[in-house]
Amino acid sequence: MMALRAQKGTPLPPNVFPVSDLHEAYQWCLEFENAVDDITLADLPRRLREARVLGYMLREALNVRGRKNVAKDILACPDDSALSRLADFYINNLFLAFRTSKAFSSSLFHFSSIPPFENKSEIRGWLLEESARGRPLTKAKALYRQDFRCALTGRYDQESVDTIPCIWAEFLSSANHPPCSARVAHILPQYTNVKTPGYSEYAHNIRLGSILKSEDLAALRNVDKLDNVIVLEENKCTLFNELKLWFEEVIGPDGRIIPNQYRMGAANQFTQLMDVQPIVTFTTPDAVNFPLPNPQYLKIHAACARIAFFSGVGKHINDIFTGVERQLVSGSDSSSTKSTSEGSNPVNRWSTSTSSSSGK
C-alpha cells in the first residue's frame, strides 16, 4: 500500500537547505504545495504534482549547478500560475519526453545476430572484427559483456541459448531458471543531446544534456554506444524505460562509492524486485572494447526515476499512455477531447505558454 500511495505522490519533506536561494526556492515549493484552499478537488492532484516535481527536482539534482538552475527558474516566477507553467514545462519536456523517447528506443535491437560459435573467444573475435567494419552490434556486444544474461535476474537470453552452442552448453550446466527474452535498454534516450528545432535556448538548458559534462555530451551523440545500454529481460526493460526501476550507487563501509555496484530502486519493490539480485555488480571481460554502463548516465536515470516516483509525475504519465492506448484500441477520438485539456497532449499544450516562461 505504501508503494501505491507513493506512486500518486509523496508530500515534500521539510526544508533542510541552509539559508540561500536554494532554501527560498524550496520554501516556495512547500508553500505552493500547501496553498490549496482555492483549488477545486478535481484540480488538486495537478497542483500537488506541480509543486512536488519542482521540490523534488531541487532535492535530487546531481550537482550544485543543477540545483541553482532549478532554483533560479522557481524564484523567477511572479505567481502561482507561473510556477504551474514552469512545472508543466519540466514535466512535458523532461519526463514525458524521456518516457516517450524510451518507448521507441529499444525496439530496434530484438536480435543479437551472433553466429553459432563453439566458444566465447570466437565470439569475441567476431564481434571485434565486425565492429571494425562498422557493423552495428549493440545488443550482441552487450550480451557478450554481460555473459549472455539479464543484468538484474541473471537469466540467460533465450535467443543466445537457442542459437549459440557454447551458450547452450553453459545454460545446461549452470542455469537454475528458464531463459528469458532479453531486450536492450538505453540508459539515456536519444533526445538527451539534441537541440530540437523550435525549442528555445531555455528549453534546451533544462534537458538532461545540460547536466552532463561537455565531453560526456559529445560522446552521447550516439546513444547506441555500449556504455549507454544494458541488456534486461523484457519486463525489466519495460520497467526501466518507464522510470519504475533504477540503479542506486552502493556506499561501502568507508563511505566511498563501490565502483560498478548497485542496489536496485523500484516504484514497487515488493512486486518489481522479487526476482532481482539484492546487489547488482557489472563486470566485463574487456573494459576497452566492451565498456561497462556509464555510472553518470545511471545516476541521471536514477534521479529522474526518483523524481517521477515521489512527485507523482510517473503515475500521471502512465495515465497519459494508458489513455492513448485505449484510444488506439477503440479507434475513436471522441473520448479524447476532455482528457486532452487535462493533459493527454501536454507537449502541444505547453507550446502555447513557453514564451511566457522562457522570457522570465
Side-chain angles (χ1 to χ4, degrees), residues 134-147:
R135 183 176 177 183
L137 293 167
T138 300
K139 182 177 180 180
K141 294 171 73 174
L143 279 169
Y144 176 78
R145 180 189 65 190
Q146 294 175 205
D147 205 24

Side-chain angles (χ1 to χ4, degrees), residues 53-189:
V53 74
L54 294 175
Y56 280 111
M57 285 188 73
L58 278 172
R59 291 177 60 88
E60 292 285 347
L62 302 187
N63 49 49
V64 174
R65 183 183 66 174
R67 281 190 287 272
K68 286 184 176 180
N69 285 341
V70 178
K72 181 180 178 181
D73 289 342
I74 292 172
L75 295 177
C77 294
D79 52 32
D80 286 356
S81 295
L83 283 172
S84 290
R85 291 195 297 271
L86 178 64
D88 279 349
F89 185 74
Y90 279 118
I91 292 169
N92 300 334
N93 292 288
L94 185 59
F95 298 98
L96 183 58
F98 193 105
R99 171 74 179 274
T100 303
S101 295
K102 300 275 270 184
F104 298 101
S105 61
S106 64
S107 60
L108 301 176
F109 301 103
H110 283 192
F111 304 102
S112 62
S113 304
I114 298 177
F117 291 113
E118 297 293 336
N119 59 70
K120 288 183 179 177
S121 63
E122 291 180 342
I123 296 175
R124 180 181 183 278
W126 178 82
L127 288 171
L128 295 178
E129 182 178 327
E130 293 299 307
S131 296
R133 294 175 179 172
R135 183 176 177 183
L137 293 167
T138 300
K139 182 177 180 180
K141 294 171 73 174
L143 279 169
Y144 176 78
R145 180 189 65 190
Q146 294 175 205
D147 205 24
F148 297 89
R149 300 168 182 251
C150 167
L152 297 185
T153 64
R155 294 172 63 189
Y156 277 92
D157 169 52
Q158 179 77 63
E159 183 202 357
S160 301
V161 168
D162 289 345
T163 61
I164 307 174
C166 61
I167 306 305
W168 167 247
E170 279 191 9
F171 171 76
L172 290 179
S173 64
S174 63
N176 297 318
H177 302 283
C180 67
S181 176
R183 296 285 182 265
V184 168
H186 288 84
I187 302 171
L188 298 184

